[in-house]
């Protein structure tokens, strides 16, 4: 059966969804009224396709299975799954999701890539089938990283979520069903905490952007890519595991090491962060950095799978 993904909004995330679906052999119909959107999408796919080939393409996968539509009403026709990726403005999402709900065939899941909004807020202007409007939050680059956070709202049924999980698995993703609605979901809340602390370290002159990144790349990041936060700390307790780790290091959680509030984004801080990142990029264009990151991720995904094969069923235990 030829599946169709309908994509609304073709920025970095929307184009990531397009590339992933094409690589899995799906047909894709996209809509974006921005001038030049179609040419930017084709350039994005051209840049991503070599990494997708190394990762492994499904039978029939090819970029030519993409076409652009000229309206919200038309883009959803024939869709098996709809993915909304418009900017993070609630009023805009309400407008777009209402149109999608009004025009999509009955029972078709509408996933929003929102990184912060709760699904119950997104469902408010969708009287036809509000339960099918859910959060389906991926991670950049969407065409390589397999995690998608699925969050249902007050109108969402267990059947809606089961249908969504099955569809995203067909896109070779690992659905993580978030147990209850919360702004920022799970992964973004964790990343934001590290991001705030990193900004403080740069703002206070403790470290440069390059030094902060090195601390992650050569330290905690290497462990996190296999075990995550909790299992990493479980090992820190030796043979007794997490209980011993908490007994030994738990009191340190009360020490004022971290800062919960983000620093004010002054012009000086912005300049320091921007100049640091430009120094790290060393004049290389983003497309070149994308390809470098993608090549690394393809190898890393293979390595994680070899050392953590049972992760195939993790979403069923969450």
């Amino acid at each position: 059966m030829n599946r169709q993904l309908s994509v609304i909004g073709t920025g970095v995330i929307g184009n990531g969804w397009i590339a992933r679906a094409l690589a899995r052999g799906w047909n894709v119909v996209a809509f974006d009224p921005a001038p030049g959107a179609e040419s930017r999408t084709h350039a994005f796919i051209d840049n991503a396709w070599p990494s997708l080939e190394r990762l492994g393409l499904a039978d029939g996968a090819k970029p030519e299975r993409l076409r652009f539509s000229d309206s919200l009403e038309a883009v959803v026709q024939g869709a098996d799954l709809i993915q909304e990726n418009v900017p993070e403005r609630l009023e805009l999402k309400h407008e777009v999701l209402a149109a999608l709900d009004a025009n999509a065939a009955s029972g078709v899941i509408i996933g929003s890539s929102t990184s912060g909004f709760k699904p119950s807020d997104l469902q408010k202007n969708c009287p036809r089938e509000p339960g099918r409007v859910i959060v389906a939050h991926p991670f950049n680059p969407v065409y390589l990283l397999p995690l998608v956070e699925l969050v249902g709202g007050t109108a969402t049924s267990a059947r809606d979520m089961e249908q969504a999980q099955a569809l995203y698995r067909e896109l070779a993703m690992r659905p993580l069903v978030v147990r209850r609605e919360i702004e920022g979901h799970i992964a973004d809340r964790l990343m934001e905490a590290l991001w705030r602390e990193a900004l403080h370290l740069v703002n206070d002159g403790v470290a440069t952007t390059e030094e902060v990144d090195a601390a992650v790349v050569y330290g905690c990041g290497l462990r996190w890519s296999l075990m995550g936060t909790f299992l990493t700390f479980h090992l820190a307790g030796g043979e007794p595991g997490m209980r011993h780790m908490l007994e030994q290091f738990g009191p340190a959680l009360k020490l004022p090491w971290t800062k919960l509030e983000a620093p004010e984004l002054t012009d000086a801080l912005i300049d320091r962060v921007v100049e640091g990142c430009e120094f790290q990029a060393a004049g290389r264009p983003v497309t070149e950095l994308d390809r470098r990151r993608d090549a690394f991720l393809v190898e890393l995904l293979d390595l994680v799978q070899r050392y953590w094969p049972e992760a195939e069923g993790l979403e069923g235990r969450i």
Side-chain angles (χ1 to χ4, degrees), residues 65-79:
R65 297 183 76 162
L66 165 68
R67 66 179 175 86
F68 267 71
S69 177
D70 58 5
S71 71
L72 280 173
E73 293 74 21
V75 73
V76 298
Q77 301 307 309

Side-chain angles (χ1 to χ4, degrees), residues 179-199:
R179 293 175 180 271
R180 63 184 181 88
E181 297 180 79
I182 185 172
E183 291 88 350
H185 324 313
I186 296 174
D188 270 6
R189 293 178 75 94
L190 297 171
M191 289 190 294
E192 283 292 323
L194 182 61
W195 174 231
R196 287 192 296 268
E197 197 65 25
L199 287 174

